PDB file of all heavy atoms in Angstrom:
ATOM      1  N   GLU A  22     -53.057 -14.712  -5.885  1.00  0.00           N
ATOM      2  CA  GLU A  22     -51.645 -15.184  -5.781  1.00  0.00           C
ATOM      3  C   GLU A  22     -50.982 -14.924  -4.450  1.00  0.00           C
ATOM      4  O   GLU A  22     -49.951 -15.381  -4.127  1.00  0.00           O
ATOM      5  CB  GLU A  22     -50.796 -14.352  -6.872  1.00  0.00           C
ATOM      6  CG  GLU A  22     -51.296 -14.557  -8.287  1.00  0.00           C
ATOM      7  CD  GLU A  22     -50.991 -15.928  -8.780  1.00  0.00           C
ATOM      8  OE1 GLU A  22     -50.252 -16.758  -8.208  1.00  0.00           O
ATOM      9  OE2 GLU A  22     -51.625 -16.247  -9.905  1.00  0.00           O
ATOM     10  N   GLY A  23     -51.734 -14.172  -3.618  1.00  0.00           N
ATOM     11  CA  GLY A  23     -51.182 -13.915  -2.329  1.00  0.00           C
ATOM     12  C   GLY A  23     -51.871 -12.798  -1.608  1.00  0.00           C
ATOM     13  O   GLY A  23     -52.721 -12.156  -2.258  1.00  0.00           O
ATOM     14  N   GLY A  24     -51.526 -12.436  -0.393  1.00  0.00           N
ATOM     15  CA  GLY A  24     -52.143 -11.321   0.267  1.00  0.00           C
ATOM     16  C   GLY A  24     -53.664 -11.557   0.655  1.00  0.00           C
ATOM     17  O   GLY A  24     -53.945 -12.696   1.012  1.00  0.00           O
ATOM     18  N   VAL A  25     -54.409 -10.574   0.641  1.00  0.00           N
ATOM     19  CA  VAL A  25     -55.888 -10.682   1.004  1.00  0.00           C
ATOM     20  C   VAL A  25     -56.693 -10.286  -0.249  1.00  0.00           C
ATOM     21  O   VAL A  25     -56.256  -9.480  -1.113  1.00  0.00           O
ATOM     22  CB  VAL A  25     -56.221  -9.809   2.186  1.00  0.00           C
ATOM     23  CG1 VAL A  25     -55.477 -10.233   3.499  1.00  0.00           C
ATOM     24  CG2 VAL A  25     -55.974  -8.337   1.971  1.00  0.00           C
ATOM     25  N   ARG A  26     -57.864 -10.833  -0.264  1.00  0.00           N
ATOM     26  CA  ARG A  26     -58.816 -10.427  -1.417  1.00  0.00           C
ATOM     27  C   ARG A  26     -60.188 -10.637  -0.837  1.00  0.00           C
ATOM     28  O   ARG A  26     -60.555 -11.414  -0.117  1.00  0.00           O
ATOM     29  CB  ARG A  26     -58.590 -11.521  -2.517  1.00  0.00           C
ATOM     30  CG  ARG A  26     -59.306 -11.188  -3.836  1.00  0.00           C
ATOM     31  CD  ARG A  26     -58.757  -9.931  -4.503  1.00  0.00           C
ATOM     32  NE  ARG A  26     -59.211  -9.831  -5.865  1.00  0.00           N
ATOM     33  CZ  ARG A  26     -60.423  -9.366  -6.195  1.00  0.00           C
ATOM     34  NH1 ARG A  26     -61.239  -9.003  -5.258  1.00  0.00           N
ATOM     35  NH2 ARG A  26     -60.685  -9.348  -7.482  1.00  0.00           N
ATOM     36  N   ASN A  27     -61.050  -9.673  -1.263  1.00  0.00           N
ATOM     37  CA  ASN A  27     -62.415  -9.688  -0.913  1.00  0.00           C
ATOM     38  C   ASN A  27     -63.303  -9.356  -2.066  1.00  0.00           C
ATOM     39  O   ASN A  27     -62.857  -8.905  -3.099  1.00  0.00           O
ATOM     40  CB  ASN A  27     -62.722  -8.696   0.285  1.00  0.00           C
ATOM     41  CG  ASN A  27     -62.475  -7.179  -0.132  1.00  0.00           C
ATOM     42  OD1 ASN A  27     -61.557  -6.876  -0.847  1.00  0.00           O
ATOM     43  ND2 ASN A  27     -63.382  -6.394   0.318  1.00  0.00           N
ATOM     44  N   ILE A  28     -64.610  -9.643  -1.870  1.00  0.00           N
ATOM     45  CA  ILE A  28     -65.640  -9.305  -2.912  1.00  0.00           C
ATOM     46  C   ILE A  28     -66.780  -8.593  -2.141  1.00  0.00           C
ATOM     47  O   ILE A  28     -66.892  -8.805  -0.901  1.00  0.00           O
ATOM     48  CB  ILE A  28     -66.134 -10.549  -3.633  1.00  0.00           C
ATOM     49  CG1 ILE A  28     -66.779 -11.651  -2.699  1.00  0.00           C
ATOM     50  CG2 ILE A  28     -64.969 -11.127  -4.520  1.00  0.00           C
ATOM     51  CD1 ILE A  28     -67.392 -12.768  -3.397  1.00  0.00           C
ATOM     52  N   SER A  29     -67.540  -7.939  -2.877  1.00  0.00           N
ATOM     53  CA  SER A  29     -68.798  -7.334  -2.367  1.00  0.00           C
ATOM     54  C   SER A  29     -69.736  -7.267  -3.533  1.00  0.00           C
ATOM     55  O   SER A  29     -69.635  -7.923  -4.459  1.00  0.00           O
ATOM     56  CB  SER A  29     -68.512  -5.952  -1.736  1.00  0.00           C
ATOM     57  OG  SER A  29     -69.536  -5.521  -1.025  1.00  0.00           O
ATOM     58  N   ASN A  30     -70.769  -6.374  -3.369  1.00  0.00           N
ATOM     59  CA  ASN A  30     -71.826  -6.284  -4.365  1.00  0.00           C
ATOM     60  C   ASN A  30     -71.369  -5.361  -5.589  1.00  0.00           C
ATOM     61  O   ASN A  30     -72.021  -4.421  -5.865  1.00  0.00           O
ATOM     62  CB  ASN A  30     -73.092  -5.773  -3.754  1.00  0.00           C
ATOM     63  CG  ASN A  30     -73.557  -6.708  -2.634  1.00  0.00           C
ATOM     64  OD1 ASN A  30     -73.054  -6.554  -1.493  1.00  0.00           O
ATOM     65  ND2 ASN A  30     -74.434  -7.660  -2.985  1.00  0.00           N
ATOM     66  N   GLN A  31     -70.217  -5.681  -6.090  1.00  0.00           N
ATOM     67  CA  GLN A  31     -69.715  -4.916  -7.235  1.00  0.00           C
ATOM     68  C   GLN A  31     -68.650  -5.750  -7.881  1.00  0.00           C
ATOM     69  O   GLN A  31     -68.231  -6.725  -7.331  1.00  0.00           O
ATOM     70  CB  GLN A  31     -69.160  -3.612  -6.812  1.00  0.00           C
ATOM     71  CG  GLN A  31     -67.876  -3.763  -6.008  1.00  0.00           C
ATOM     72  CD  GLN A  31     -67.215  -2.517  -5.585  1.00  0.00           C
ATOM     73  OE1 GLN A  31     -67.889  -1.660  -5.036  1.00  0.00           O
ATOM     74  NE2 GLN A  31     -65.965  -2.373  -5.938  1.00  0.00           N
ATOM     75  N   LEU A  32     -68.335  -5.396  -9.100  1.00  0.00           N
ATOM     76  CA  LEU A  32     -67.134  -6.041  -9.716  1.00  0.00           C
ATOM     77  C   LEU A  32     -65.860  -5.472  -9.167  1.00  0.00           C
ATOM     78  O   LEU A  32     -65.749  -4.296  -8.941  1.00  0.00           O
ATOM     79  CB  LEU A  32     -67.267  -5.898 -11.274  1.00  0.00           C
ATOM     80  CG  LEU A  32     -68.507  -6.445 -11.956  1.00  0.00           C
ATOM     81  CD1 LEU A  32     -68.576  -6.174 -13.437  1.00  0.00           C
ATOM     82  CD2 LEU A  32     -68.584  -7.984 -11.652  1.00  0.00           C
ATOM     83  N   SER A  33     -64.795  -6.372  -9.127  1.00  0.00           N
ATOM     84  CA  SER A  33     -63.509  -5.959  -8.611  1.00  0.00           C
ATOM     85  C   SER A  33     -62.361  -6.474  -9.413  1.00  0.00           C
ATOM     86  O   SER A  33     -61.243  -6.028  -9.187  1.00  0.00           O
ATOM     87  CB  SER A  33     -63.374  -6.317  -7.179  1.00  0.00           C
ATOM     88  OG  SER A  33     -63.473  -7.746  -7.026  1.00  0.00           O
ATOM     89  N   ILE A  34     -62.613  -7.389 -10.383  1.00  0.00           N
ATOM     90  CA  ILE A  34     -61.548  -7.823 -11.219  1.00  0.00           C
ATOM     91  C   ILE A  34     -61.285  -6.797 -12.275  1.00  0.00           C
ATOM     92  O   ILE A  34     -62.244  -6.402 -13.057  1.00  0.00           O
ATOM     93  CB  ILE A  34     -61.810  -9.159 -11.822  1.00  0.00           C
ATOM     94  CG1 ILE A  34     -62.042 -10.256 -10.789  1.00  0.00           C
ATOM     95  CG2 ILE A  34     -60.875  -9.558 -12.881  1.00  0.00           C
ATOM     96  CD1 ILE A  34     -62.466 -11.504 -11.243  1.00  0.00           C
ATOM     97  N   THR A  35     -60.118  -6.242 -12.401  1.00  0.00           N
ATOM     98  CA  THR A  35     -59.793  -5.184 -13.365  1.00  0.00           C
ATOM     99  C   THR A  35     -59.090  -5.771 -14.583  1.00  0.00           C
ATOM    100  O   THR A  35     -59.637  -6.471 -15.386  1.00  0.00           O
ATOM    101  CB  THR A  35     -58.987  -4.090 -12.717  1.00  0.00           C
ATOM    102  OG1 THR A  35     -57.843  -4.536 -12.080  1.00  0.00           O
ATOM    103  CG2 THR A  35     -59.887  -3.396 -11.663  1.00  0.00           C
ATOM    104  N   THR A  36     -57.691  -5.741 -14.557  1.00  0.00           N
ATOM    105  CA  THR A  36     -56.931  -6.148 -15.739  1.00  0.00           C
ATOM    106  C   THR A  36     -56.206  -7.516 -15.526  1.00  0.00           C
ATOM    107  O   THR A  36     -55.797  -8.188 -16.465  1.00  0.00           O
ATOM    108  CB  THR A  36     -55.854  -5.114 -16.079  1.00  0.00           C
ATOM    109  OG1 THR A  36     -54.994  -4.913 -15.000  1.00  0.00           O
ATOM    110  CG2 THR A  36     -56.566  -3.876 -16.476  1.00  0.00           C
ATOM    111  N   LYS A  37     -56.199  -7.955 -14.239  1.00  0.00           N
ATOM    112  CA  LYS A  37     -55.604  -9.325 -13.968  1.00  0.00           C
ATOM    113  C   LYS A  37     -56.644 -10.416 -14.040  1.00  0.00           C
ATOM    114  O   LYS A  37     -57.392 -10.689 -13.181  1.00  0.00           O
ATOM    115  CB  LYS A  37     -54.918  -9.372 -12.594  1.00  0.00           C
ATOM    116  CG  LYS A  37     -54.231 -10.681 -12.275  1.00  0.00           C
ATOM    117  CD  LYS A  37     -53.778 -10.763 -10.917  1.00  0.00           C
ATOM    118  CE  LYS A  37     -53.031 -12.088 -10.590  1.00  0.00           C
ATOM    119  NZ  LYS A  37     -53.782 -13.296 -10.911  1.00  0.00           N
ATOM    120  N   ILE A  38     -56.828 -10.889 -15.282  1.00  0.00           N
ATOM    121  CA  ILE A  38     -57.815 -11.878 -15.661  1.00  0.00           C
ATOM    122  C   ILE A  38     -57.034 -13.164 -16.009  1.00  0.00           C
ATOM    123  O   ILE A  38     -56.318 -13.163 -17.000  1.00  0.00           O
ATOM    124  CB  ILE A  38     -58.702 -11.427 -16.745  1.00  0.00           C
ATOM    125  CG1 ILE A  38     -59.402 -10.101 -16.379  1.00  0.00           C
ATOM    126  CG2 ILE A  38     -59.716 -12.488 -17.144  1.00  0.00           C
ATOM    127  CD1 ILE A  38     -60.199  -9.456 -17.510  1.00  0.00           C
ATOM    128  N   ASP A  39     -57.220 -14.204 -15.286  1.00  0.00           N
ATOM    129  CA  ASP A  39     -56.498 -15.476 -15.453  1.00  0.00           C
ATOM    130  C   ASP A  39     -57.356 -16.503 -16.342  1.00  0.00           C
ATOM    131  O   ASP A  39     -56.819 -17.352 -16.968  1.00  0.00           O
ATOM    132  CB  ASP A  39     -56.086 -16.062 -14.149  1.00  0.00           C
ATOM    133  CG  ASP A  39     -55.090 -15.207 -13.461  1.00  0.00           C
ATOM    134  OD1 ASP A  39     -54.067 -14.961 -14.031  1.00  0.00           O
ATOM    135  OD2 ASP A  39     -55.472 -14.675 -12.366  1.00  0.00           O
ATOM    136  N   ARG A  40     -58.684 -16.344 -16.251  1.00  0.00           N
ATOM    137  CA  ARG A  40     -59.643 -17.084 -17.070  1.00  0.00           C
ATOM    138  C   ARG A  40     -60.787 -16.202 -17.441  1.00  0.00           C
ATOM    139  O   ARG A  40     -61.132 -15.296 -16.632  1.00  0.00           O
ATOM    140  CB  ARG A  40     -60.017 -18.390 -16.379  1.00  0.00           C
ATOM    141  CG  ARG A  40     -58.964 -19.415 -16.258  1.00  0.00           C
ATOM    142  CD  ARG A  40     -59.477 -20.735 -15.669  1.00  0.00           C
ATOM    143  NE  ARG A  40     -60.574 -21.288 -16.415  1.00  0.00           N
ATOM    144  CZ  ARG A  40     -61.313 -22.349 -15.983  1.00  0.00           C
ATOM    145  NH1 ARG A  40     -61.066 -22.921 -14.936  1.00  0.00           N
ATOM    146  NH2 ARG A  40     -62.378 -22.722 -16.705  1.00  0.00           N
ATOM    147  N   GLU A  41     -61.377 -16.375 -18.524  1.00  0.00           N
ATOM    148  CA  GLU A  41     -62.515 -15.594 -18.973  1.00  0.00           C
ATOM    149  C   GLU A  41     -63.412 -16.285 -19.937  1.00  0.00           C
ATOM    150  O   GLU A  41     -63.036 -17.238 -20.647  1.00  0.00           O
ATOM    151  CB  GLU A  41     -61.963 -14.312 -19.673  1.00  0.00           C
ATOM    152  CG  GLU A  41     -61.293 -14.512 -20.897  1.00  0.00           C
ATOM    153  CD  GLU A  41     -60.563 -13.322 -21.457  1.00  0.00           C
ATOM    154  OE1 GLU A  41     -59.645 -12.822 -20.736  1.00  0.00           O
ATOM    155  OE2 GLU A  41     -60.817 -12.911 -22.590  1.00  0.00           O
ATOM    156  N   HIS A  42     -64.647 -15.739 -20.014  1.00  0.00           N
ATOM    157  CA  HIS A  42     -65.563 -16.205 -20.999  1.00  0.00           C
ATOM    158  C   HIS A  42     -64.872 -16.050 -22.374  1.00  0.00           C
ATOM    159  O   HIS A  42     -64.319 -14.966 -22.578  1.00  0.00           O
ATOM    160  CB  HIS A  42     -66.934 -15.512 -20.924  1.00  0.00           C
ATOM    161  CG  HIS A  42     -67.995 -16.060 -21.844  1.00  0.00           C
ATOM    162  ND1 HIS A  42     -68.025 -15.686 -23.131  1.00  0.00           N
ATOM    163  CD2 HIS A  42     -69.073 -16.808 -21.501  1.00  0.00           C
ATOM    164  CE1 HIS A  42     -69.010 -16.294 -23.719  1.00  0.00           C
ATOM    165  NE2 HIS A  42     -69.681 -16.920 -22.764  1.00  0.00           N
ATOM    166  N   PRO A  43     -64.945 -16.979 -23.264  1.00  0.00           N
ATOM    167  CA  PRO A  43     -64.324 -16.830 -24.582  1.00  0.00           C
ATOM    168  C   PRO A  43     -64.730 -15.691 -25.428  1.00  0.00           C
ATOM    169  O   PRO A  43     -64.014 -15.191 -26.271  1.00  0.00           O
ATOM    170  CB  PRO A  43     -64.674 -18.142 -25.329  1.00  0.00           C
ATOM    171  CG  PRO A  43     -65.650 -18.893 -24.479  1.00  0.00           C
ATOM    172  CD  PRO A  43     -65.684 -18.276 -23.174  1.00  0.00           C
ATOM    173  N   GLU A  44     -65.998 -15.096 -25.195  1.00  0.00           N
ATOM    174  CA  GLU A  44     -66.498 -13.944 -25.902  1.00  0.00           C
ATOM    175  C   GLU A  44     -66.493 -12.744 -25.107  1.00  0.00           C
ATOM    176  O   GLU A  44     -67.173 -11.723 -25.509  1.00  0.00           O
ATOM    177  CB  GLU A  44     -67.806 -14.312 -26.485  1.00  0.00           C
ATOM    178  CG  GLU A  44     -67.835 -15.513 -27.382  1.00  0.00           C
ATOM    179  CD  GLU A  44     -69.252 -15.952 -27.719  1.00  0.00           C
ATOM    180  OE1 GLU A  44     -70.225 -15.386 -27.267  1.00  0.00           O
ATOM    181  OE2 GLU A  44     -69.384 -17.148 -28.222  1.00  0.00           O
ATOM    182  N   LEU A  45     -65.921 -12.671 -23.892  1.00  0.00           N
ATOM    183  CA  LEU A  45     -66.027 -11.552 -22.919  1.00  0.00           C
ATOM    184  C   LEU A  45     -65.610 -10.260 -23.624  1.00  0.00           C
ATOM    185  O   LEU A  45     -66.299  -9.272 -23.566  1.00  0.00           O
ATOM    186  CB  LEU A  45     -65.126 -11.853 -21.773  1.00  0.00           C
ATOM    187  CG  LEU A  45     -65.010 -10.794 -20.760  1.00  0.00           C
ATOM    188  CD1 LEU A  45     -66.305 -10.824 -19.884  1.00  0.00           C
ATOM    189  CD2 LEU A  45     -63.772 -10.956 -19.809  1.00  0.00           C
ATOM    190  N   LYS A  46     -64.463 -10.246 -24.262  1.00  0.00           N
ATOM    191  CA  LYS A  46     -63.871  -8.983 -24.804  1.00  0.00           C
ATOM    192  C   LYS A  46     -64.672  -8.586 -26.028  1.00  0.00           C
ATOM    193  O   LYS A  46     -64.986  -7.421 -26.263  1.00  0.00           O
ATOM    194  CB  LYS A  46     -62.446  -9.072 -25.098  1.00  0.00           C
ATOM    195  CG  LYS A  46     -61.581  -9.245 -23.813  1.00  0.00           C
ATOM    196  CD  LYS A  46     -60.144  -9.457 -24.074  1.00  0.00           C
ATOM    197  CE  LYS A  46     -59.340  -9.716 -22.785  1.00  0.00           C
ATOM    198  NZ  LYS A  46     -58.087 -10.273 -22.929  1.00  0.00           N
ATOM    199  N   GLU A  47     -65.039  -9.521 -26.991  1.00  0.00           N
ATOM    200  CA  GLU A  47     -65.719  -9.229 -28.103  1.00  0.00           C
ATOM    201  C   GLU A  47     -67.058  -8.679 -27.854  1.00  0.00           C
ATOM    202  O   GLU A  47     -67.629  -7.685 -28.497  1.00  0.00           O
ATOM    203  CB  GLU A  47     -65.791 -10.401 -29.050  1.00  0.00           C
ATOM    204  CG  GLU A  47     -64.611 -10.707 -29.782  1.00  0.00           C
ATOM    205  CD  GLU A  47     -63.992  -9.469 -30.650  1.00  0.00           C
ATOM    206  OE1 GLU A  47     -64.877  -8.896 -31.352  1.00  0.00           O
ATOM    207  OE2 GLU A  47     -62.888  -9.150 -30.432  1.00  0.00           O
ATOM    208  N   TYR A  48     -67.844  -9.237 -26.830  1.00  0.00           N
ATOM    209  CA  TYR A  48     -69.087  -8.666 -26.455  1.00  0.00           C
ATOM    210  C   TYR A  48     -68.986  -7.304 -25.962  1.00  0.00           C
ATOM    211  O   TYR A  48     -69.728  -6.434 -26.366  1.00  0.00           O
ATOM    212  CB  TYR A  48     -69.729  -9.680 -25.405  1.00  0.00           C
ATOM    213  CG  TYR A  48     -71.141  -9.228 -25.040  1.00  0.00           C
ATOM    214  CD1 TYR A  48     -72.160  -9.493 -25.983  1.00  0.00           C
ATOM    215  CD2 TYR A  48     -71.486  -8.680 -23.888  1.00  0.00           C
ATOM    216  CE1 TYR A  48     -73.530  -9.092 -25.659  1.00  0.00           C
ATOM    217  CE2 TYR A  48     -72.750  -8.284 -23.529  1.00  0.00           C
ATOM    218  CZ  TYR A  48     -73.804  -8.545 -24.413  1.00  0.00           C
ATOM    219  OH  TYR A  48     -75.085  -8.143 -24.114  1.00  0.00           O
ATOM    220  N   ALA A  49     -68.024  -7.004 -25.021  1.00  0.00           N
ATOM    221  CA  ALA A  49     -67.818  -5.645 -24.556  1.00  0.00           C
ATOM    222  C   ALA A  49     -67.539  -4.699 -25.746  1.00  0.00           C
ATOM    223  O   ALA A  49     -68.033  -3.568 -25.735  1.00  0.00           O
ATOM    224  CB  ALA A  49     -66.694  -5.615 -23.525  1.00  0.00           C
ATOM    225  N   LYS A  50     -66.740  -5.202 -26.633  1.00  0.00           N
ATOM    226  CA  LYS A  50     -66.397  -4.292 -27.879  1.00  0.00           C
ATOM    227  C   LYS A  50     -67.718  -4.009 -28.689  1.00  0.00           C
ATOM    228  O   LYS A  50     -67.972  -2.827 -29.105  1.00  0.00           O
ATOM    229  CB  LYS A  50     -65.326  -5.030 -28.619  1.00  0.00           C
ATOM    230  CG  LYS A  50     -64.602  -4.160 -29.608  1.00  0.00           C
ATOM    231  CD  LYS A  50     -63.438  -4.832 -30.216  1.00  0.00           C
ATOM    232  CE  LYS A  50     -62.851  -4.174 -31.351  1.00  0.00           C
ATOM    233  NZ  LYS A  50     -61.763  -4.940 -32.006  1.00  0.00           N
ATOM    234  N   SER A  51     -68.499  -5.069 -28.841  1.00  0.00           N
ATOM    235  CA  SER A  51     -69.610  -4.934 -29.708  1.00  0.00           C
ATOM    236  C   SER A  51     -70.691  -3.986 -29.048  1.00  0.00           C
ATOM    237  O   SER A  51     -71.529  -3.364 -29.749  1.00  0.00           O
ATOM    238  CB  SER A  51     -70.322  -6.267 -30.024  1.00  0.00           C
ATOM    239  OG  SER A  51     -70.939  -6.774 -28.808  1.00  0.00           O
ATOM    240  N   LYS A  52     -70.677  -3.840 -27.747  1.00  0.00           N
ATOM    241  CA  LYS A  52     -71.596  -2.981 -26.958  1.00  0.00           C
ATOM    242  C   LYS A  52     -71.024  -1.558 -26.897  1.00  0.00           C
ATOM    243  O   LYS A  52     -71.739  -0.720 -26.376  1.00  0.00           O
ATOM    244  CB  LYS A  52     -71.854  -3.537 -25.708  1.00  0.00           C
ATOM    245  CG  LYS A  52     -72.705  -4.830 -25.669  1.00  0.00           C
ATOM    246  CD  LYS A  52     -74.105  -4.495 -26.204  1.00  0.00           C
ATOM    247  CE  LYS A  52     -75.070  -5.679 -26.096  1.00  0.00           C
ATOM    248  NZ  LYS A  52     -76.391  -5.387 -26.550  1.00  0.00           N
ATOM    249  N   GLY A  53     -69.807  -1.375 -27.290  1.00  0.00           N
ATOM    250  CA  GLY A  53     -69.120  -0.032 -27.109  1.00  0.00           C
ATOM    251  C   GLY A  53     -68.563   0.248 -25.745  1.00  0.00           C
ATOM    252  O   GLY A  53     -68.304   1.327 -25.369  1.00  0.00           O
ATOM    253  N   TRP A  54     -68.450  -0.860 -24.978  1.00  0.00           N
ATOM    254  CA  TRP A  54     -67.935  -0.603 -23.582  1.00  0.00           C
ATOM    255  C   TRP A  54     -66.468  -0.668 -23.491  1.00  0.00           C
ATOM    256  O   TRP A  54     -65.866  -0.284 -22.575  1.00  0.00           O
ATOM    257  CB  TRP A  54     -68.438  -1.721 -22.634  1.00  0.00           C
ATOM    258  CG  TRP A  54     -69.908  -1.803 -22.668  1.00  0.00           C
ATOM    259  CD1 TRP A  54     -70.851  -0.882 -22.808  1.00  0.00           C
ATOM    260  CD2 TRP A  54     -70.723  -3.054 -22.284  1.00  0.00           C
ATOM    261  NE1 TRP A  54     -72.104  -1.330 -22.690  1.00  0.00           N
ATOM    262  CE2 TRP A  54     -72.090  -2.703 -22.450  1.00  0.00           C
ATOM    263  CE3 TRP A  54     -70.377  -4.413 -22.057  1.00  0.00           C
ATOM    264  CZ2 TRP A  54     -73.093  -3.592 -22.118  1.00  0.00           C
ATOM    265  CZ3 TRP A  54     -71.437  -5.258 -21.807  1.00  0.00           C
ATOM    266  CH2 TRP A  54     -72.741  -4.918 -21.827  1.00  0.00           C
ATOM    267  N   TRP A  55     -65.798  -1.090 -24.611  1.00  0.00           N
ATOM    268  CA  TRP A  55     -64.244  -1.242 -24.667  1.00  0.00           C
ATOM    269  C   TRP A  55     -63.955  -0.923 -26.125  1.00  0.00           C
ATOM    270  O   TRP A  55     -64.623  -1.457 -27.068  1.00  0.00           O
ATOM    271  CB  TRP A  55     -63.908  -2.572 -24.177  1.00  0.00           C
ATOM    272  CG  TRP A  55     -62.446  -2.891 -24.365  1.00  0.00           C
ATOM    273  CD1 TRP A  55     -61.420  -2.139 -23.728  1.00  0.00           C
ATOM    274  CD2 TRP A  55     -61.859  -3.921 -24.995  1.00  0.00           C
ATOM    275  NE1 TRP A  55     -60.229  -2.775 -24.082  1.00  0.00           N
ATOM    276  CE2 TRP A  55     -60.433  -3.865 -24.820  1.00  0.00           C
ATOM    277  CE3 TRP A  55     -62.318  -5.052 -25.787  1.00  0.00           C
ATOM    278  CZ2 TRP A  55     -59.586  -4.771 -25.364  1.00  0.00           C
ATOM    279  CZ3 TRP A  55     -61.392  -5.918 -26.397  1.00  0.00           C
ATOM    280  CH2 TRP A  55     -60.004  -5.746 -26.169  1.00  0.00           C
ATOM    281  N   ASP A  56     -62.908  -0.152 -26.334  1.00  0.00           N
ATOM    282  CA  ASP A  56     -62.584   0.175 -27.719  1.00  0.00           C
ATOM    283  C   ASP A  56     -61.704  -0.813 -28.314  1.00  0.00           C
ATOM    284  O   ASP A  56     -61.360  -0.684 -29.587  1.00  0.00           O
ATOM    285  CB  ASP A  56     -61.892   1.565 -27.767  1.00  0.00           C
ATOM    286  CG  ASP A  56     -60.571   1.601 -26.971  1.00  0.00           C
ATOM    287  OD1 ASP A  56     -60.025   0.577 -26.549  1.00  0.00           O
ATOM    288  OD2 ASP A  56     -60.024   2.793 -26.784  1.00  0.00           O
ATOM    289  N   GLY A  57     -61.120  -1.855 -27.700  1.00  0.00           N
ATOM    290  CA  GLY A  57     -60.319  -2.826 -28.216  1.00  0.00           C
ATOM    291  C   GLY A  57     -58.852  -2.425 -28.385  1.00  0.00           C
ATOM    292  O   GLY A  57     -57.994  -3.255 -28.796  1.00  0.00           O
TER     293      GLY A  57
END
């Protein structure tokens, strides 16, 4: 949306998600990576 943004060899998108895989959250939940 503005400012500067960079990427490197790691994930950097935290909670500001504008588009996502349709099963992104459910898969994380099923693996125990997110409590929902």
